[in-house]
Amino acid sequence: MIDKTDRKLLALLQEDSTLSLQELAMAVNLTSTPCWKRLKKLEDNGIIRRRVTLLDGEKLGLGLTAFMFVKTRQHSKAWYQTFSDLINGLPEVMGCYRMAGEYDYLLRIQVADMKSYDALYKKLAESLDGLTEVTSSFAMEEIKYTTAIPLSV
């Protein structure tokens, strides 16, 4: 499992993935080689999935965030695969979760405007049989957004 030093490395990387190996090593009181080995192990074990740059959707003309709730009467493996393939092919869908509770799926969508949202909605509705309900909520203001997993360091 991971120890306190690994957690500290992960916390630092979640805050700023551009930190150099030397900066990371100094921050956790290691030399570069042991620090690199820890990072490599965290990557090999899938704990570090990717290193990415976060962008501001609004400044890029993609200021509408929608949360789409989906119910379906289809629960076969084939339907699920079709649904997954469709969702994974839509870059506007930023996240998709299979849910317990009232709805079967929750999608987080980032688009330019309502017209763009409507086009995505129509594409989903036309591509999938068995949808019984699709409803959406639209974010008026982003109060908090993070990709950082809470770690006790």
Side-chain angles (χ1 to χ4, degrees):
M1 206 62 214
I2 64 173
D3 63 14
K4 188 175 182 178
T5 302
D6 291 333
R7 289 182 186 281
K8 175 85 178 198
L9 282 170
L10 293 170
L12 289 164
L13 286 171
Q14 284 190 115
E15 186 64 33
D16 182 0
S17 69
T18 65
L19 291 171
S20 70
L21 180 59
Q22 291 73 23
E23 291 169 314
L24 290 168
M26 278 187 7
V28 296
N29 297 318
L30 291 174
T31 59
S32 294
T33 300
C35 184
W36 178 84
K37 286 181 180 179
R38 282 177 176 268
L39 292 171
K40 180 79 171 113
K41 184 178 176 185
L42 291 166
E43 288 175 344
D44 290 347
N45 289 335
I47 293 169
I48 296 175
R49 291 170 32 184
R50 290 184 295 193
R51 298 183 196 194
V52 299
T53 299
L54 301 177
L55 306 178
D56 186 318
E58 192 165 335
K59 290 180 180 175
L60 293 167
L62 299 169
L64 181 64
T65 302
F67 297 92
M68 180 185 283
F69 302 90
V70 176
K71 284 185 184 180
T72 180
R73 66 176 178 268
Q74 298 289 330
H75 297 284
S76 70
K77 187 175 182 179
W79 188 92
Y80 175 80
Q81 190 60 54
T82 300
F83 176 76
S84 296
D85 290 345
L86 177 64
I87 295 303
N88 282 301
L90 297 171
E92 303 91 341
V93 178
M94 304 292 293
C96 178
Y97 305 90
R98 192 167 60 87
M99 306 295 288
E102 185 177 351
Y103 292 95
D104 296 308
Y105 299 93
L106 169 64
L107 285 64
R108 182 171 58 89
I109 297 166
Q110 193 78 37
V111 290
D113 51 27
M114 191 59 73
K115 184 176 180 178
S116 301
Y117 172 82
D118 189 46
L120 178 71
Y121 171 87
K122 288 174 183 173
K123 187 173 193 172
L124 280 170
E126 292 167 0
S127 301
L128 292 168
D129 290 330
L131 297 181
T132 59
E133 186 177 337
V134 176
T135 188
S136 298
S137 294
F138 300 92
M140 296 188 311
E141 177 184 10
E142 182 178 274
I143 296 170
K144 178 180 180 179
Y145 173 80
T146 184
T147 61
I149 292 175
L151 300 168
S152 53
V153 181

